[in-house]
Amino acid sequence: KENLNELDRLKITSIHSTDPDLAYLFRHIATHEVAYRSMPRATRIDLHDRLARYLELTSVSNPPLDVLAFHYEQAGNQEKQREYLQKAGDKAKASYANETALEYYGKLLPLLIKSEEKISFHLKRGEIFQLLGKWIDTESEYQAALDISQQINMPTSIALSQKSMGILCTAQGNLEDALNWLQNAFSTYEKLEDKLGLSQTLNQIGAVHW
């Protein structure tokens, strides 16, 4: 406490709050950086990890997703970093903060390991690009999802990617291409006996004919 009071007297830090917990802030970012970089790397990693776990325990109902992703990144915990980047991206996407969602998803891609996760990632990014009217980027994401789905022979994802391509072509006014993609998706769903997928695809085919 004496050291903290001395830092305050020297105007290096200032009291941020006294209630419910006493907290200090650095007055200048340069001082903050020097103090941070002066710590041994092992100490920094430990502190980031401890802070992230503390935030998880104390903010269960409304966790600061981006902050948790950052601290777990600094702690070298890729599994947790991946979890919170995914949640942060999904939350931003759900609230139509599209550019923010793309930023989170962009950080997430290098961390993905499972093919199923990569498929979901590309489809989500494609949906956002489509909302933004970025057709080339949208097609690239849907095609990437389709390629991975075919590589691992995952029919459900193949059909979903084909349907997404059909929806994209419909939005662009390429109705013949749209029907081709949607018919392919319909055939795949038919083999899977997926009634929900069939009904959604038929609905989209009907929209194209309309």
Side-chain angles (χ1 to χ4, degrees):
K1 183 68 183 299
E2 289 178 2
N3 289 337
L4 289 169
N5 288 336
E6 179 65 8
L7 289 173
D8 187 39
R9 188 187 68 79
L10 294 171
K11 298 190 182 305
I12 293 174
T13 62
S14 61
I15 295 178
H16 176 61
S17 66
T18 57
D19 185 52
D21 297 307
L22 181 62
Y24 289 78
L25 291 179
F26 284 99
R27 289 176 180 266
H28 302 287
I29 188 65
T31 315
H32 168 273
E33 281 297 305
V34 170
Y36 179 75
R37 299 297 172 188
S38 298
M39 286 190 289
R41 175 171 166 76
T43 302
R44 295 204 305 266
I45 289 174
D46 178 57
L47 288 173
H48 279 294
D49 185 70
R50 287 165 60 189
L51 177 54
R53 294 183 187 281
Y54 170 79
L55 290 172
E56 277 186 314
L57 289 172
T58 57
S59 57
V60 176
S61 59
N62 187 29
L65 302 174
D66 52 345
V67 176
L68 283 163
F70 169 76
H71 285 296
Y72 274 125
E73 176 187 8
Q74 298 303 310
N77 189 332
Q78 286 195 351
E79 183 178 351
K80 284 287 189 178
Q81 182 191 1
R82 186 164 56 243
E83 175 188 344
Y84 284 108
L85 281 174
Q86 177 78 62
K87 289 179 177 179
D90 290 348
K91 183 178 180 180
K93 180 175 179 289
S95 60
Y96 299 100
N98 295 318
E99 296 293 348
T100 302
L102 287 173
E103 184 179 343
Y104 285 129
Y105 288 148
K107 294 178 181 178
L108 177 63
L109 179 58
L111 302 174
L112 296 178
I113 300 171
K114 298 179 181 178
S115 297
E116 294 83 352
E117 293 176 338
K118 293 179 181 178
I119 293 168
S120 176
F121 165 86
H122 287 299
L123 289 173
K124 286 177 181 178
R125 290 243 306 179
E127 289 174 9
I128 294 172
F129 281 129
Q130 187 165 333
L131 285 172
L132 295 173
K134 297 182 178 181
W135 306 128
I136 295 175
D137 291 322
T138 305
E139 183 177 357
S140 176
E141 295 294 340
Y142 288 159
Q143 187 63 56
L146 180 59
D147 291 342
I148 298 172
S149 301
Q150 290 173 333
Q151 287 169 11
I152 64 173
N153 191 26
M154 194 170 178
T156 304
S157 296
I158 290 173
L160 183 55
S161 301
Q162 291 169 332
K163 180 161 68 73
S164 298
M165 290 288 267
I167 294 171
L168 169 63
C169 290
T170 305
Q172 292 176 291
N174 300 329
L175 302 185
E176 188 174 341
D177 289 342
L179 284 176
N180 288 334
W181 281 112
L182 292 169
Q183 291 290 355
N184 287 336
F186 181 84
S187 297
T188 308
Y189 280 128
E190 201 168 30
K191 292 174 184 175
L192 292 169
E193 298 182 352
D194 184 335
K195 292 182 179 181
L196 178 60
L198 282 170
S199 64
Q200 290 175 340
T201 306
L202 278 173
N203 183 59
Q204 189 61 38
I205 290 172
V208 174
H209 283 297
W210 175 266

